[in-house]
Amino acid sequence: MVVGAGVGGLSAAIHARLKGWDVLVVEQSDRCGGKAAGIEACGFQLDPGPSIIILPEVYNDVFRAAGRTPESYLRFQPLNTLSRVFFEGEDPLDLPADQSVCEDVLRRIAPNDLRAFRAMMSKLDPCVAPLEKAVFGSPVQRPTDMMRPGLMQFGLRFNPFTNYKRMIDGWFESPLLRAFFYGFPSYSGQTYHDNAPGALLIPYYMLKRGVYFPEGGVRAIPRAFEHLARELGVEFRFGVKFEEFVGPAAFRTSEGDQIGADAIICNVDKITATRAEGLKPSMSYFTLHWGLNKALGGLEHHNLVIPRQFEAGFESLYRGNFPKPPIVYLNATARLDPEAAPPGCTNLFAVVTVPADLPELNWQARRDEYRDAVLAEVRRSGLSWRDDEVVFERVQDPGTFAQAHGNYMGSLYGPVQSQRHLSLFPLTNWDPNHPRRAYVGGSVQPGAGLPMVTLSGRFAVDALARANP
Ligand SMILES: Cc1cc2nc3c(=O)[nH]c(=O)nc-3n(C[C@H](O)[C@H](O)[C@H](O)COP(=O)(O)OP(=O)(O)OC[C@H]3O[C@@H](n4cnc5c(N)ncnc54)[C@H](O)[C@@H]3O)c2cc1C
């Protein structure tokens, strides 16, 4: 049985079925997809979570594993522009989703950084494939797994005594480049004060292997997985909420019923499900959706609004506060996904990386203040609209991710770096005390983000198969 039908849970269900196991997926809501499931408001389609899609081969591999042609289920369109950058006080600039075209742009806007940029990419080139084999091929279990060639090779290429920020500052002078790179450690729950060279993998993938848009929007990914799962014979039950484990492979629902199975793969955040104590939550997001009744020009699909004082913003974020000023990612999907907004209208999604649902941040009481800070930053970039052009506004804060999706204190990556498995890796997909339970999703290995949770579906199934030969 799989508990939770997020992309991680769906991937686990497919992999479990491919082993020949009977699979029932139970899910608290009325649909599949979790944070990647689209939601609707006033005729607009909204993505509550993921919007930047990389590594399409990871999803395609799931269909191939089932002997299917991936394109019959899911098609990806490559994007030319990785992100349009609105750096305060300067004209918007498009960063291409391709290394050599990006170098042309850097030659113009940051010529002194071109050599370091190339050196960074060349440093990564030979070790990414072995690293993928070491970390995406199977989970890291024992300290001896650190000796896997791909991990060793990667580790040896980077100074273990420096932190991510010092590394970036040592390479790049350009404020735009530094601001662009500073954000990536947060995508794996780290900060730029950590030794986090692995955070370079995301921009590396964007520049080397491209950024994509799934036809039909991000929601097309869980829909395609659900389609395949149903074809394979996976069954689904909606409206079932896991409350707590009550046996080796049994749990109590919020209605008080007990449900058991031969084994359980849990897509509920591992910290929430196991009620682990004393863990410090990693990062979360504060987001705003706007439906506008006008076509807002000047935007690309992915946009980044960077304030001139971005260093203060990142420093406050990585010290555990709401970033002041905020660095705002803006996603406008309607141009590529006509269903996302009614004709002539604009669907906007602003995402700001923030600390989790910590009491001192007082999300409930300060929501409006945080919202105004984000809106002010977007307006400063030259993008604006009148109040009467807003059809709706929707706010999500870390409390939303805790309550609606079960993320521990709203954190999306499990615990902070120092409390990770071997102080480096996300939590394990297995439980040594409960061999009939396994875990899948953003809180466990190989990590958060849609490609990683897709891989973690296979990790969880393999963990169960290993523990129950
Ligand atoms: C604002 C935001 C932006 C993001 N941007 C990106 C991005 O650009 N690119 C990217 O790749 N990733 C991005 N991510 C991360 C990505 O969304 C997650 O890593 C991924 O969706 C997690 O998948 P999952 O299957 O682990 O969890 P979820 O999607 O949360 O799925 C968990 C499922 O379990 C169900 N569930 C939870 N608790 C219970 C319970 N008690 N009982 C029964 N069912 C339960 C939920 O309803 C849900 O269906 C973003 C996330 C957010 C929030």
Side-chain angles (χ1 to χ4, degrees), residues 392-404:
F392 71 88
E393 180 182 273
R394 181 177 181 271
V395 186
Q396 299 177 122
D397 66 23
T400 316
F401 299 116
Q403 282 140 34

Side-chain angles (χ1 to χ4, degrees), residues 3-9 26-29 31-36 48-53 59 240-243 267-268 285 287 349 351 396 401 404-407 412 440-443 448-451 453:
V3 181
V7 167
V26 296
E27 160 62 43
Q28 63 178 359
S29 73
R31 68 187 67 186
C32 291
K35 286 187 273 290
S51 52
I52 302 173
I53 301 303
Y59 313 102
V240 179
K241 183 164 184 185
F242 166 100
E243 201 61 40
N267 188 205
V268 184
Y285 290 114
T287 81
F349 180 33
V351 180
Q396 299 177 122
F401 299 116
H405 300 280
N407 291 102
L412 297 161
V440 62
S443 64
L450 293 179
V453 303

Side-chain angles (χ1 to χ4, degrees), residues 187-373:
Y187 292 179
S188 45
Q190 298 166 298
T191 82
Y192 69 11
H193 298 296
D194 294 317
N195 178 253
L200 294 172
L201 285 178
I202 300 173
Y204 177 87
Y205 285 137
M206 289 170 156
L207 290 160
K208 274 284 181 196
R209 301 202 198 155
V211 177
Y212 295 81
F213 181 71
E215 287 177 13
V218 170
R219 59 193 178 279
I221 296 176
R223 280 186 190 165
F225 278 0
E226 180 184 359
H227 180 181
L228 174 63
R230 286 189 188 274
E231 269 184 8
L232 294 171
V234 172
E235 290 183 20
F236 289 86
R237 247 171 81 192
F238 295 96
V240 179
K241 183 164 184 185
F242 166 100
E243 201 61 40
E244 63 175 339
F245 283 114
V246 291
F251 67 92
R252 185 168 56 77
T253 69
S254 56
E255 305 276 286
D257 300 326
Q258 279 204 22
I259 301 186
D262 291 339
I264 291 183
I265 297 177
C266 184
N267 188 205
V268 184
D269 184 307
K270 187 175 180 184
I271 308 179
T272 307
T274 57
R275 304 188 171 195
E277 287 179 359
L279 294 179
K280 225 177 132 195
S282 59
M283 297 281 175
S284 186
Y285 290 114
F286 180 74
T287 81
L288 291 156
H289 284 99
W290 293 287
L292 307 181
N293 63 12
K294 70 162 185 177
L296 187 69
L299 285 165
E300 257 292 335
H301 186 73
H302 300 300
N303 307 272
L304 194 59
V305 176
I306 303 179
R308 200 149 271 287
Q309 304 299 322
F310 68 90
E311 293 192 295
F314 278 111
E315 195 53 26
S316 49
L317 166 69
Y318 288 138
R319 297 269 171 222
N321 297 306
F322 186 88
K324 279 194 181 154
I327 299 90
V328 185
Y329 161 79
L330 260 187
N331 182 224
T333 59
R335 212 168 43 88
L336 293 177
D337 179 6
E339 277 181 28
C345 298
T346 304
N347 171 5
L348 273 185
F349 180 33
V351 180
V352 178
T353 303
V354 296
D357 193 8
L358 306 169
E360 58 270 29
L361 279 136
N362 222 344
W363 288 106
Q364 198 73 20
R366 298 179 69 183
R367 233 183 191 209
D368 287 350
E369 175 193 332
Y370 296 144
R371 173 239 182 231
D372 292 348

Side-chain angles (χ1 to χ4, degrees), residues 110-130:
N112 294 345
D113 291 339
L114 186 57
R115 185 196 290 255
F117 177 79
R118 283 200 183 127
M120 176 193 79
M121 296 299 282
S122 308
K123 210 183 203 356
L124 290 163
D125 277 335
C127 52
V128 167

